């Protein structure tokens, strides 16, 4: 039986659909508006117009997760851990991270005023800071890297390659391949892969990055549906770009594709994990774009690591 609802607006329709979805008991099965869906897709191509400030909800507060180096928020002295209080004079009580992000984004050459409470005990005098940030066209390069020279216990000079992966955008795997090739050519003998505060992105890209570090036909991740049917996702005749020692850094901001990548590398014996327990986002969702540009997200399965550890709402516990 089909029941018809006379609705006077799109918001009323979304509200009715949200009510129906809430009966499923899964807060991640949801409908989002066209504007929210557009924002969701920004991360996949690596370009946006805004201030390069990424926020997350922690115990009811909007906290700065990261700032892209060299972009407006970082230049203004905003740091990880600062709490976002107001945007253009509007208090953010009860706002989620996506709603805040929408207010931070906007056309390049415009600006936005934000008020923050300095986190991590930073600052002296008043802990409240208000700054005006110019919006810019920002290319989110997913990789930053450097060489760390040091001496081994026996006195030899050696190099460690440090690679920070910010997000799993479309170019992340290619950019990482290029970075590792360059580091190998410069004589790097060990690596640090930093996944701290990487919120995820395209899962397929996460699996592509795992191929850079692993050989053979290893299992990268397992999927399990609501009926308990499990299917492994395996590499096919993989060839790692390097077999040098590897450490992976993770923390509570490492989520989704970051956790899949960390689990794949760790459980296959390729690296040790150092840091804090990861976020715990292991759901697989089907995304359907509707005719008005909104989108329906439906949880259909979840991920288990190669060693069958449940990541969802649990996270990955590091070795150190």
């Amino acid at each position: 039986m089909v029941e018809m609802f006379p609705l006077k607006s799109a918001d009323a329709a979304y509200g009715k659909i949200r009510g129906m979805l809430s009966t499923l008991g899964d807060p991640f099965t949801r409908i989002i508006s066209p504007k929210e869906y557009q924002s969701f897709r920004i991360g996949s191509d690596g370009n946006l117009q805004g201030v390069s400030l990424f926020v997350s909800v922690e115990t009811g507060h909007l906290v700065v997760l990261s700032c892209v180096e060299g972009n407006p928020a970082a230049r203004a002295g905003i740091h990880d851990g600062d709490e976002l209080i107001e945007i253009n004079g509007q208090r953010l009580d009860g706002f989620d991270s996506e709603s805040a992000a929408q207010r931070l984004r906007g056309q390049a050459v415009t600006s936005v005023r934000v008020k923050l409470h300095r986190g991590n005990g930073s600052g002296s005098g008043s802990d409240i800071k208000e700054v005006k940030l110019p919006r810019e066209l920002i290319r989110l390069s997913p990789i930053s890297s450097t060489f760390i020279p040091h001496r081994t216990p026996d006195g030899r000079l050696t190099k460690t390659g440090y690679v920070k992966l910010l997000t799993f955008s479309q170019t992340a795997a290619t950019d990482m391949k290029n970075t590792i090739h360059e580091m190998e050519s410069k004589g790097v003998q060990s690596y640090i892969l930093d996944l701290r505060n990487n919120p995820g992105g395209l899962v397929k890209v996460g699996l592509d990055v795992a191929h850079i570090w692993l050989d053979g036909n290893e299992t990268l991740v397992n999927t399990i549906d609501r009926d308990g049917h499990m299917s492994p996702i395996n590499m096919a005749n993989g060839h790692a770009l390097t077999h040098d020692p590897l450490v992976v850094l993770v923390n509570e901001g490492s989520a989704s594709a970051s956790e899949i990548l960390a689990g794949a590398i760790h459980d296959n014996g390729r690296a040790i994990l150092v840091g804090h327990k990861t976020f715990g986002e292991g759901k697989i969702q089907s995304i359907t774009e509707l005719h008005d540009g909104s989108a329906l997200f439906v949880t259909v399965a979840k991920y288990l690591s190669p060693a069958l550890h449940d990541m969802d709402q649990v996270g990955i516990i590091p070795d150190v």
Side-chain angles (χ1 to χ4, degrees):
M1 177 180 175
V2 177
E3 187 176 357
M4 301 297 291
F5 298 100
L7 300 171
K8 296 181 180 179
S9 70
D11 285 343
Y14 296 149
K16 184 65 70 173
I17 294 170
R18 288 187 182 106
M20 290 187 288
L21 295 177
S22 69
T23 64
L24 299 174
D26 173 26
F28 298 98
T29 292
R30 66 199 190 279
I31 188 170
I32 64 174
S33 69
K35 189 173 182 179
E36 289 172 319
Y37 185 51
Q38 184 181 28
S39 297
F40 170 82
R41 295 176 60 185
I42 283 172
S44 67
D45 65 14
N47 292 286
L48 60 81
Q49 295 182 72
V51 298
S52 72
L53 182 63
F54 298 90
V55 294
S56 176
V57 177
E58 296 182 11
T59 61
H61 299 280
L62 282 165
V63 176
V64 175
L65 193 62
S66 63
C67 301
V68 179
E69 187 176 348
N71 284 303
R75 293 200 305 266
I78 295 174
H79 302 289
D80 302 356
D82 290 350
E83 180 190 346
L84 204 57
I85 300 172
E86 292 181 5
I87 298 176
N88 285 335
Q90 182 176 11
R91 293 283 300 183
L92 299 177
D93 302 327
F95 274 58
D96 59 25
S97 56
E98 184 55 42
S99 298
Q102 287 178 24
R103 284 161 175 77
L104 292 169
R105 296 182 192 126
Q107 292 294 319
V109 309
T110 64
S111 61
V112 60
R113 185 171 292 279
V114 299
K115 184 180 287 187
L116 306 106
H117 184 272
R118 302 314 303 267
N120 301 323
S122 61
S124 58
S126 174
D127 284 337
I128 302 296
K129 177 175 183 174
E130 187 169 358
V131 292
K132 184 178 181 180
L133 302 174
R135 295 186 177 107
E136 299 175 357
L137 180 62
I138 298 164
R139 183 187 182 279
L140 297 175
S141 176
I143 298 280
S144 60
S145 63
T146 191
F147 298 96
I148 304 173
H150 56 97
R151 291 195 179 275
T152 62
D154 61 3
R156 290 184 299 110
L157 187 64
T158 185
K159 291 180 186 174
T160 292
Y162 170 86
V163 183
K164 184 171 181 63
L165 182 56
L166 299 168
T167 184
F168 291 86
S169 62
Q170 288 179 349
T171 65
T174 300
D175 289 355
M176 180 164 285
K177 284 180 185 176
N178 294 337
T179 299
I180 300 305
H181 279 306
E182 178 188 2
M183 288 189 162
E184 287 291 292
S185 71
K186 297 288 179 60
V188 163
Q189 294 177 294
S190 58
Y191 287 89
I192 298 169
L193 174 59
D194 192 347
L195 299 179
R196 290 175 299 176
N197 296 324
N198 182 327
L202 302 174
V203 169
K204 181 185 180 301
V205 174
L207 300 178
D208 289 343
V209 172
H211 281 74
I212 295 172
W213 302 99
L214 294 170
D215 286 316
N217 302 305
E218 304 282 15
T219 296
L220 299 177
V221 72
N222 298 283
T223 65
I224 184 166
D225 65 21
R226 63 183 180 183
D227 296 319
H229 299 136
M230 190 167 66
S231 301
I233 298 176
N234 295 337
M235 297 203 318
N237 195 28
H239 295 283
L241 296 187
T242 175
H243 296 96
D244 291 335
L246 172 66
V247 165
V248 178
L249 305 183
V250 294
N251 69 357
E252 58 280 353
S254 307
S256 189
S258 288
E259 295 172 286
I260 292 170
L261 174 59
I265 294 175
H266 175 266
D267 287 2
N268 285 297
R270 179 65 180 87
I272 62 169
L273 303 184
V274 175
H276 296 278
K277 187 175 77 168
T278 62
F279 182 82
E281 173 56 68
K283 288 181 170 62
I284 304 171
Q285 293 197 299
S286 167
I287 303 174
T288 303
E289 184 173 351
L290 306 181
H291 75 279
D292 68 337
S294 61
L296 185 66
F297 288 62
V298 179
T299 302
V300 295
K302 65 180 179 178
Y303 292 110
L304 302 180
S305 76
L308 305 184
H309 295 133
D310 190 345
M311 291 179 273
D312 191 51
Q313 301 183 56
V314 178
I316 296 175
I317 299 173
D319 301 298
V320 181

